[in-house]
Amino acid sequence: MNKERKRILTGDRPTGPLHLGHFAGSLQNRVKLQKEYETFIIVADVQTLSTNFDHPEHLPADVWQVTLDNLSAGLDPEIVNIFIQSMVPQIAELTVFFSMFITVNRLRHNPTIKTEAGQHGFEENMTYGFLGYPVSQAADILFCRADLVPVGEDQLPVVEVSRFTARRFNELYGTVFPEPEGLKSETARLVGLDGKAKMSKSLGNCIYLRDSTEEVRKKLMSAVTDPARIHKDDPGHPEICTIFSYHQAFNREESPDIEERCRKGTIGCVACKKRMIQVIEEILDPIRERRIRFEKPGLIEEILKTGTEAACIEGSRTMQLVRGAMHTDYFDRRKS
Ligand code: TRP
Ligand code: SF4
């Protein structure tokens, strides 16, 4: 049952279209690593319900959208398995077993849980499922015995719970799981178009992978820059400018030059933004082309079905090991 290649598991909550923050934070890494690692991409519909349990009607469209975004970003369905979390029953089984030995305090003190609880106003009263989503995410990662988990920075404390879960399980019952490693992308979190700390759908400050050329142009032209630059030759402060942070993320080679010219007041914000538009369009154009190909009727469904089948096969292998280790393989035990 040894794996031929090391394995990646990562994915997204289907809550709407993916944006450039996702692209910089994790999609780019996935695409880069897909040939080197056997890759499983989870569309985490159950995790979406940890906050959106009262709106399950959005799931079907959002699951399709997230899958299409991943494929458009460059994941190759011939070599990666994209699957739906709730359709892999072994993930639910593992969640229950893991929840027996992960303490409530560990979850309560998790930095990501604390931050997100604050964002959703759950501090005083949160559901069992929300508090426990890192346990369920440990099951997402460990059901295929993944080695590597590429994620955005915010998610590292959650991956830490998976590492602990693997370690603790192995200590308690015998070694079944590798200790999965979190891999943070080189690009720091992307700031929003409004200059807020984070590109986020709920803040309405994103460039989406599916945005048209016209939408990208409008959004970037009205993005916040250094307010001190009223005239074109006023010296600027790139370190506080949204557009400059995008140059650093997506236009690395040119960014030192832009920084210098901004400080000296030899580049105007309009020209600087226009250059940024070009850079983003170069990223989005191939994504748009692929999207058109994957929008063929029935194709997403077929890709999700194939990926989910592969995930279930891997999940049953893992459960055999888990049940053996936990003495819950009752009928196999009696035979031998
Ligand atoms: N929690 C992740 C997010 O909000 C999504 C996710 C669910 C995930 N299961 C995962 C990420 C497993 C990595 C591995 O973006
Ligand atoms: Fe920002 Fe560019 Fe204007 Fe400088 S020139 S403030 S980096 S948009």
Side-chain angles (χ1 to χ4, degrees):
M1 231 172 274
N2 282 336
K3 297 172 290 187
E4 280 173 23
R5 278 184 299 164
K6 292 233 172 195
R7 216 168 254 171
I8 278 179
L9 179 299
T10 185
D12 315 279
R13 295 179 191 199
T15 54
L18 299 184
H19 51 67
L20 275 181
H22 295 113
F23 184 77
S26 54
L27 292 176
Q28 243 178 340
N29 252 345
R30 295 176 196 176
V31 173
K32 197 169 74 190
L33 297 168
Q34 63 180 333
K35 293 219 170 78
E36 193 183 333
Y37 290 82
E38 187 181 358
T39 298
F40 287 85
I41 302 293
I42 188 165
V43 184
D45 60 338
V46 183
Q47 198 175 103
T48 297
L49 295 173
S50 71
T51 51
N52 296 15
F53 54 85
D54 49 350
H55 286 293
E57 70 278 14
H58 298 154
L59 285 175
D62 287 344
V63 165
W64 257 240
Q65 181 63 246
V66 158
T67 307
L68 186 54
D69 278 335
N70 269 279
L71 292 163
S72 308
L75 285 180
D76 177 355
E78 297 291 327
I79 58 174
V80 306
N81 306 296
I82 308 183
F83 68 94
I84 302 176
Q85 183 189 24
S86 69
M87 312 251 354
V88 179
Q90 294 85 0
I91 293 179
E93 284 180 60
L94 277 179
T95 305
V96 174
F97 284 135
F98 293 162
S99 70
M100 299 305 149
F101 62 82
I102 301 294
T103 65
V104 171
N105 270 345
R106 176 170 296 274
L107 298 167
R108 264 202 226 288
H109 296 141
N110 188 280
T112 308
I113 289 290
K114 278 193 188 164
T115 313
E116 290 179 0
Q119 287 163 356
H120 296 289
F122 290 168
E123 292 103 326
E124 294 306 314
N125 195 12
M126 62 180 85
T127 63
Y128 176 53
F130 176 80
L131 179 67
Y133 100 69
V135 180
S136 151
Q137 187 157 323
D140 296 344
I141 293 169
L142 297 177
F143 92 95
C144 68
R145 303 189 308 290
D147 305 282
L148 196 66
V149 188
V151 284
E153 194 170 17
D154 309 10
Q155 281 285 309
L156 285 177
V158 179
V159 177
E160 210 39 55
V161 176
S162 309
R163 290 167 61 76
F164 176 79
T165 305
R167 258 197 327 267
R168 193 76 187 110
F169 184 99
N170 293 345
E171 264 166 30
L172 286 165
Y173 310 118
T175 302
V176 169
F177 297 109
E179 200 175 306
E181 220 172 297
L183 175 71
K184 193 181 84 163
S185 84
E186 295 154 35
T187 313
R189 177 162 76 184
L190 211 59
V191 300
L193 287 161
D194 51 1
K196 292 223 174 84
K198 192 177 170 181
M199 228 183 230
S200 143
K201 197 184 76 166
S202 52
L203 297 173
N205 59 4
C206 310
I207 295 177
Y208 293 104
L209 299 183
R210 66 173 193 193
D211 279 351
S212 67
T213 303
E214 189 43 31
E215 283 166 319
V216 170
R217 198 191 61 79
K218 265 203 223 138
K219 287 181 179 179
L220 283 170
M221 289 317 280
S222 54
V224 179
T225 65
D226 175 4
R229 299 206 69 196
I230 296 160
H231 306 292
K232 206 165 74 184
D233 46 8
D234 289 336
H237 307 85
E239 68 280 4
I240 60 161
C241 173
T242 311
I243 296 291
F244 183 67
S245 73
Y246 298 166
H247 279 290
Q248 284 178 306
F250 301 116
N251 190 19
R252 233 169 257 172
E253 265 178 39
E254 217 180 325
S255 75
D257 181 50
I258 288 173
E259 178 171 9
E260 195 189 321
R261 287 161 65 204
C262 173
R263 285 194 200 287
K264 285 189 187 150
T266 58
I267 182 173
C269 290
V270 172
C272 187
K273 285 178 163 181
K274 283 191 173 156
R275 177 67 191 122
M276 191 70 253
I277 293 171
Q278 278 176 343
V279 169
I280 303 252
E281 283 291 294
E282 272 168 38
I283 295 172
L284 293 185
D285 266 341
I287 294 181
R288 293 182 184 124
E289 273 169 38
R290 280 189 291 261
R291 182 181 304 272
I292 293 168
R293 271 195 279 136
F294 286 114
E295 271 171 342
K296 200 177 117 197
L299 187 52
I300 296 292
E301 177 164 336
E302 190 188 311
I303 290 169
L304 282 171
K305 277 188 175 157
T306 310
T308 302
E309 263 169 45
C312 287
I313 290 173
E314 218 33 65
S316 332
R317 287 190 186 133
T318 300
M319 281 317 292
Q320 235 180 339
L321 299 174
V322 165
R323 284 185 171 274
M326 296 187 76
H327 303 265
T328 53
D329 55 344
Y330 301 105
F331 304 139
D332 292 339
R333 217 159 256 270
R334 291 168 72 92
K335 268 184 246 149
S336 56

